[in-house]
Amino acid sequence: MFWEHFALWVAAFLTLGIYSFLYKDNPWYKLCESIFVGISAGYWFVTLFWDNIYGKFWVGVFPTGDAQPDYWLLVGAALGLLMLLRLIPKIGWVSRWSLAFIVGATAGFYLINYFSSNVMRQVQDTVMPLFGPGFNASAYVIIGNIVVAVGTFTGLVYFFFSKEHKGAFGASAKIGIFFLMVTFGASFGYTVMSRMSLLIGRIDFLLSDWLGLIR
């Protein structure tokens, strides 16, 4: 019971310390920020150690039972050790080999996923059917498909700067601006709502769990 109350007061202390930044930057906020960063770094270090160094490398190279060892993991371990050489300034340049491999491999890996999810999927969701044999959709869906197609086309027209925005082309660009502003506003509203959700959660913790004012 004592430790539960102690953890409750510590959580309240840290919560109020973080929100004290709304007044101004102060030592209380810096203390809570440092504790948060330190605990996060420690948590991720432990998680990565057991998930990667032990769970993948050690178990992969020294498997138990009838499993075959995967010695290719030694290459990854060597590249990881080279990254740590950045801590030694005289030979820190060797870490660039590992960094170059990681950047190249990551770019190549994400290229396929990015092209699939952010290009092909976007095109597929934009060019939606409006009518045709076997097509059955409500007027609400059809209007939505038209709005998406028009918004995408006019938004692309706005970013086409090789032609002067005059006449019908300029009108399309202005419509594109309207869709862009709506999109940015929706994104901003979503961000504000997510922050407000966090704030409501912490206020609920302070008023109900800590102070007991809300049951």
Side-chain angles (χ1 to χ4, degrees):
M1 183 64 71
F2 168 77
W3 290 109
E4 292 181 0
H5 286 284
F6 179 75
L8 191 65
W9 278 85
V10 170
F13 174 81
L14 296 176
T15 300
L16 293 176
I18 291 296
Y19 283 110
S20 67
F21 185 77
L22 297 175
Y23 171 64
K24 67 177 184 179
D25 195 4
N26 58 81
W28 188 10
Y29 168 76
K30 291 182 179 178
L31 173 64
C32 297
E33 182 186 34
S34 300
I35 293 174
F36 176 77
V37 173
I39 292 177
S40 299
Y43 173 79
W44 282 111
F45 177 81
V46 174
T47 301
L48 293 176
F49 175 82
W50 289 106
D51 288 349
N52 292 278
I53 297 179
Y54 178 79
K56 293 182 180 178
F57 172 72
W58 186 262
V59 175
V61 177
F62 305 101
T64 57
D66 298 332
Q68 296 296 322
D70 185 5
Y71 293 113
W72 282 106
L73 295 173
L74 295 174
V75 178
L79 293 174
L81 292 176
L82 292 180
M83 288 288 290
L84 297 178
L85 294 181
R86 293 181 63 87
L87 301 175
I88 306 176
K90 291 185 179 180
I91 56 175
W93 57 272
V94 180
S95 63
R96 296 175 183 173
W97 296 349
S98 302
L99 189 62
F101 178 82
I102 293 173
V103 171
T106 304
F109 177 75
Y110 278 100
L111 177 63
I112 300 175
N113 293 332
Y114 185 84
F115 185 80
S116 175
S117 61
N118 291 279
V119 178
M120 298 303 297
R121 187 61 184 272
Q122 295 291 335
V123 173
Q124 181 182 3
D125 290 341
T126 301
V127 186
M128 300 295 291
L130 302 178
F131 52 83
F135 178 72
N136 185 16
S138 63
Y140 176 79
V141 174
I142 295 176
I143 293 174
N145 294 342
I146 294 174
V147 171
V148 171
V150 172
T152 303
F153 177 76
T154 54
L156 293 175
V157 168
Y158 171 73
F159 289 103
F160 192 81
F161 301 113
S162 300
K163 181 178 175 58
E164 189 174 3
H165 291 182
K166 287 185 176 180
F169 191 82
S172 299
K174 291 181 179 179
I175 296 175
I177 294 175
F178 172 76
F179 278 98
L180 290 173
M181 295 302 293
V182 171
T183 303
F184 293 150
S187 300
F188 178 74
Y190 177 78
T191 303
V192 171
M193 288 301 296
S194 62
R195 299 297 188 272
M196 290 300 295
S197 177
L198 293 174
L199 176 62
I200 292 173
R202 299 320 300 169
I203 292 177
D204 179 70
F205 163 75
L206 293 174
L207 296 181
S208 60
D209 297 340
W210 183 45
L211 297 177
L213 299 177
I214 300 177
R215 300 294 181 182

